[in-house]
Amino acid sequence: MSSTIWSVDEHLEDILAAVRPLEPIELQLPEAQGCVLVEDVVVEIALPPFDNSSMDGYAVRVADVEGATEEFPAVLTVIGDVAAGDAGLSGDQRVGPGEAARIMTGAPLPAGAEAVVPVEWTDGGTGEGPAATMRAHSDAPEGAAGEVRVHRPAEARAHVRARGSDVRPGDLALRAGSVIGPPQIGLLAAIGRSTVKVRPRPRVVVISTGSELVQPGVELTGGQIYDSNSFALTAAAREAGAIAYRVGAVSDDAETLRATIEDQLIRADIVVTTGGVSVGAYDVVKEALSSVADEDEPGGGVDFRKLAMQPGKPQGFGSIGPDHTPLLALPGNPVSSYVSFELFVRPAIRTLMGLPDVNRPTVRASLVTDKALSSPSGKRQFLRGTYDAEAGTVTPVGGSGSHLIAALAQADALIVLPEDVTSAEPGADTEVILLR
């Protein structure tokens, strides 16, 4: 480990300079969810592709229902049914003077028709009062024949969705750089796209280290604690947009850890370890990675550093294996590991995805506290807090200890106290990193 003290910004710059966006691939729509589009998608068909009804009712000519009232309804001859999925009326049939076609929502507007009157504006073909709903064809086959009484007039194109009213051929559907979510998948499917070219979601392998760690659900014995870091960081990786794999805690043995990491490289675009990067006799991550699989590859290896930050002073970053897979080694204290993930791993994941904005949003807020907050000189401190957007304030949660995970669960922001600040007074204008 170098004796140099690195700043948070320097460490992040080195990470982002070494991480490259993943190569684009063509994926089926369900597999593209959460991925970033790498090309503009241009519409090739109109949406909707034809004029269609937005209501269950009757397709009519405007002149035939002009002046219609419940007392003096327009009486029209029903010439057939048009259901969703139909091409329209059969053969050369069209809606002529004094005629109507029963039509369902989404069905194409038949030739000759100019508007749709909702079924509630009619007697539904029953000869009685206003209909409440359209009866099913199987229950009322006579509804497609006979007469219908229309009680209200309709303007031209009333209750008609026009062809191309959503998008037209040549329109830009989605821009390169868009994240593919449910609405985007719906649009792509609606315009007939079954695949899309995207950068895949990065595969992140999370490995926690420490012989003291046991999995939740197992009874603790003397000196043991539950492995929380691998669960928290795996969840954080997924929340950032990655496909995340959690590896159970590895004991404090350098050979075991090295073998575990090398076994995981086949499914990793980035590896994250937590624990074993400090100066203790059992800090095996440094030992295991000081001579790892790509030491003969130019630019390979892992560099362990001390950063001017609290929490999270010890950090490691480099590449391992024949494919130069990025590896970030985070400290083992729960708060230190989570803060380090937010500052360094999340931006790396977002860079692999090809997103232009890789950092969490930041705001300025007024500090709400009973007394001044102290901060070590020369270090950038990150305190947990709750942010009130309406009031423009942020309130510290819990103390500054890097093991206080309960307070982390209550926080939705990190309060940033810069390197040159040793005391933050109540009401101070403070930088805040929003976590939600």
Side-chain angles (χ1 to χ4, degrees):
M1 180 185 287
S2 170
S3 59
T4 303
I5 302 296
W6 301 75
S7 72
V8 171
D9 295 335
E10 288 170 336
H11 189 58
L12 179 59
E13 285 172 10
D14 283 353
I15 292 170
L16 297 186
V19 175
R20 297 284 181 268
L22 299 176
E23 287 299 313
I25 58 175
E26 193 84 15
L27 289 179
Q28 297 285 328
L29 291 189
E31 284 70 52
Q33 183 172 356
C35 298
V36 176
L37 193 63
V38 297
E39 61 184 2
D40 291 344
V41 175
V42 177
V43 179
E44 296 182 1
I45 65 165
L47 193 65
F50 47 81
D51 289 354
N52 70 89
S53 176
S54 65
M55 305 285 286
D56 291 336
Y58 290 85
V60 301
R61 291 163 20 107
V62 172
D64 291 334
V65 297
E66 189 174 358
T69 65
E70 193 168 341
E71 185 178 1
F72 299 104
V75 182
L76 306 177
T77 301
V78 180
I79 61 172
D81 262 2
V82 187
D86 287 350
L89 294 172
S90 59
D92 296 331
Q93 198 175 20
R94 59 187 290 120
V95 176
E99 295 178 338
R102 197 166 72 147
I103 192 168
M104 313 305 154
T105 302
L109 189 70
E114 300 168 329
V116 172
V117 290
V119 66
E120 294 87 356
W121 295 8
T122 76
D123 67 351
T126 64
E128 301 171 359
T133 183
M134 184 79 79
R135 290 191 294 168
H137 180 76
S138 58
D139 293 336
E142 75 283 355
E147 293 180 338
V148 64
R149 286 165 174 76
V150 180
H151 304 141
R152 290 174 59 178
E155 297 180 354
R157 310 295 290 177
H159 306 109
V160 174
R161 303 178 183 129
R163 178 183 184 274
S165 56
D166 194 349
V167 291
R168 299 175 180 273
D171 285 353
L172 180 64
L174 295 172
R175 291 190 182 278
S178 301
V179 178
I180 305 297
Q184 291 74 30
I185 288 177
L187 173 58
L188 290 165
I191 62 175
R193 289 289 295 263
S194 62
T195 65
V196 68
K197 195 172 186 180
V198 296
R199 296 193 193 277
R201 293 167 63 198
R203 300 165 302 164
V204 179
V205 172
V206 178
I207 304 172
S208 56
T209 66
S211 298
E212 76 280 13
L213 301 177
V214 296
Q215 298 306 296
V218 177
E219 188 173 348
L220 295 176
T221 60
Q224 293 181 329
I225 60 172
Y226 289 121
D227 170 21
S228 63
N229 285 357
S230 67
F231 285 92
L233 299 187
T234 301
R238 289 184 181 133
E239 195 271 340
I243 298 169
Y245 303 105
R246 190 189 70 86
V247 178
V250 178
S251 63
D252 288 322
D253 178 78
E255 285 302 321
T256 301
L257 177 58
R258 185 181 297 116
T260 300
I261 292 173
E262 290 177 349
D263 286 347
Q264 292 296 323
L265 290 179
I266 193 171
R267 64 171 181 174
D269 295 309
I270 185 170
V271 175
V272 179
T273 67
T274 171
V277 294
S278 191
V279 294
Y282 292 94
D283 288 331
V284 297
V285 174
K286 287 190 299 181
E287 182 183 350
L289 298 182
S290 59
S291 58
V292 81
D294 71 348
E295 70 271 16
D296 297 327
E297 298 283 340
V302 178
D303 183 26
F304 291 90
R305 300 172 169 179
K306 295 177 182 177
L307 267 58
M309 64 180 286
Q310 185 183 49
K313 178 181 178 181
Q315 300 284 337
F317 170 70
S319 65
I320 57 173
D323 295 325
H324 291 288
T325 304
L327 181 142
L328 281 85
L330 311 183
N333 280 320
V335 177
S336 300
S337 72
Y338 182 74
V339 170
S340 300
F341 181 96
E342 286 292 336
L343 296 180
F344 307 124
V345 183
R346 193 175 196 275
I349 290 172
R350 309 282 284 180
T351 299
L352 288 169
M353 294 176 70
L355 289 166
D357 187 8
V358 300
N359 295 308
R360 291 280 197 184
T362 61
V363 296
R364 306 294 299 188
S366 177
L367 185 62
V368 177
T369 179
D370 294 334
K371 59 181 181 180
L373 300 179
S374 62
S375 186
S377 176
K379 289 185 178 182
R380 190 178 304 181
Q381 184 168 212
F382 299 89
L383 299 172
R384 287 133 289 174
T386 56
Y387 173 64
D388 185 332
E390 189 173 336
T393 60
V394 66
T395 305
V397 179
S400 61
S402 58
H403 64 293
L404 300 174
I405 194 169
L408 184 61
Q410 306 301 319
D412 60 12
L414 293 176
I415 303 168
V416 184
L417 301 183
E419 291 85 345
D420 59 352
V421 171
T422 57
S423 179
E425 300 293 330
D429 181 53
T430 310
E431 180 186 356
V432 177
I433 301 172
L434 304 181
L435 300 179
R436 298 174 195 165

